Amino acid sequence: MYLSYDRRSLDIQYSPSSCVADIDVYLRDYAARSAAARRLPDARLGVRYGPRPEQLADFYPAGRAGAPMLVFVHGGYWQEMSRHESAFMAPDLVARGISVAVLGYGLAPAYELPEIIAMVADGIRWICRSADRLPGAPGPIVVSGHSAGAHLVAMSLLDESGWERCGARPSEAVAGAILVSGVYDLEPVRETYVNEALGLDAGTARACSPLHNLRAALPPLVVARGENETDEFGRQQTEFVTAVRALGGQVTDFVVPIRNHFDLPYDLGDPETLLGDSLVRLTGRSR
């Protein structure tokens, strides 16, 4: 039992596909749109950012030095998806003058969750540290993650010792972060089918939960989810936002009408949406 949920009910709560008719529709579309992104003329694919085989990033520069950049971290419950299906917003953003970087990282069960977190944190810091040498020489950097990717971005920003080694604080290096349909407390996740690949115990779940490792001096956050998501995704967002604000953090928090867990990330590429407008604002650009 967790809260009022038995195991079967908790599994459903942490199964985003329970709220859509067919998840494969979205997965196929992610792949098709990302394939189109990889055909962009200035795309730079498979740029290495760390020693692990999976530590590769794809860059889609907007064509002028100093353009803002979105760094995107995909979801998939730390065990599925890849950078190859995760550039679906790049064509729209590049056309609007915003560069995109998509981080790849190793997955469970080949890697344990602390290793996955470290890989993504290394990638975000590497991009911030190397901006003037990257394709497009980006200016302001906004980091974003979807689902498990939102968790990984949050944990990366909370890696105090890693940022100290980098010689910068996340609030200085990053213009803002957009966390989409994220999971911020892994204790209930530990009680679900998701943990079969992760193998989390209570201590590791807590150590890897943004909610239990919050610190001040985070960059501005946008935390969003779709209206058509489970109650647990709603509770997770509410508790995380409340805790960040209690520490004085700057958070924009919203629930997007009609959207679900899988179609909400498309909005990153559209400035007429709440999510797309948030990205434009964090980059410091006018619409």
Side-chain angles (χ1 to χ4, degrees), residues 79-272:
Q79 56 196 283
E80 297 177 318
M81 299 283 291
S82 76
R83 72 184 202 279
H84 301 298
E85 305 87 38
S86 303
F88 45 83
M89 79 299 290
D92 288 335
L93 289 179
V94 168
R96 293 184 172 94
I98 298 177
S99 300
V100 175
V102 180
L103 279 186
Y105 56 90
L107 303 175
Y111 294 97
E112 295 182 349
L113 188 55
E115 295 177 293
I116 296 171
I117 292 169
M119 277 187 262
V120 172
D122 284 347
I124 291 172
R125 288 192 295 266
W126 180 81
I127 287 174
C128 292
R129 191 171 60 242
S130 309
D132 59 344
R133 302 188 300 276
L134 294 177
I141 293 171
V142 175
V143 293
S144 180
H146 171 229
S147 195
H151 162 271
L152 291 169
V153 167
M155 287 300 295
S156 297
L157 296 175
L158 293 167
D159 180 10
E160 214 165 45
S161 61
W163 286 101
E164 286 174 1
R165 292 193 301 273
C166 184
R169 296 194 299 176
S171 57
E172 300 164 341
V174 173
I178 301 176
L179 309 179
V180 183
S181 300
V183 178
Y184 309 105
D185 180 5
L186 299 189
E187 180 54 30
V189 175
R190 189 173 71 87
E191 304 293 334
T192 72
Y193 71 98
V194 180
N195 201 37
E196 293 169 11
L198 299 177
L200 296 174
D201 59 25
T204 305
R206 188 174 185 86
C208 292
S209 292
L211 184 65
H212 299 301
N213 293 277
L214 287 174
R215 296 172 178 83
L218 287 171
L221 301 181
V222 173
V223 184
R225 64 179 173 85
E227 177 185 32
N228 298 322
E229 301 209 42
T230 68
D231 291 342
E232 272 296 279
F233 275 87
R235 183 187 65 81
Q236 289 251 358
Q237 178 165 319
T238 297
E239 292 193 1
F240 178 73
V241 167
T242 300
V244 173
R245 286 177 174 160
L247 289 175
Q250 179 183 336
V251 188
T252 301
D253 167 38
F254 52 80
V255 178
V256 183
I258 303 173
R259 288 303 205 189
N260 62 55
H261 190 90
F262 301 101
D263 61 9
L264 180 55
Y266 292 134
D267 288 1
L268 286 167
D270 183 355
E272 299 302 321

Side-chain angles (χ1 to χ4, degrees), residues 33-116:
R33 294 188 188 208
S34 298
R38 290 197 296 277
R39 293 192 292 270
L40 290 171
D42 295 325
R44 287 275 304 279
L45 308 179
V47 177
R48 180 159 297 285
Y49 71 83
R52 305 275 196 180
E54 300 86 356
Q55 285 184 288
L56 301 171
D58 296 335
F59 288 89
Y60 305 92
R64 66 172 182 85
M69 173 177 279
L70 175 73
V71 179
F72 186 73
V73 180
H74 69 81
Y77 267 152
W78 310 277
Q79 56 196 283
E80 297 177 318
M81 299 283 291
S82 76
R83 72 184 202 279
H84 301 298
E85 305 87 38
S86 303
F88 45 83
M89 79 299 290
D92 288 335
L93 289 179
V94 168
R96 293 184 172 94
I98 298 177
S99 300
V100 175
V102 180
L103 279 186
Y105 56 90
L107 303 175
Y111 294 97
E112 295 182 349
L113 188 55
E115 295 177 293
I116 296 171

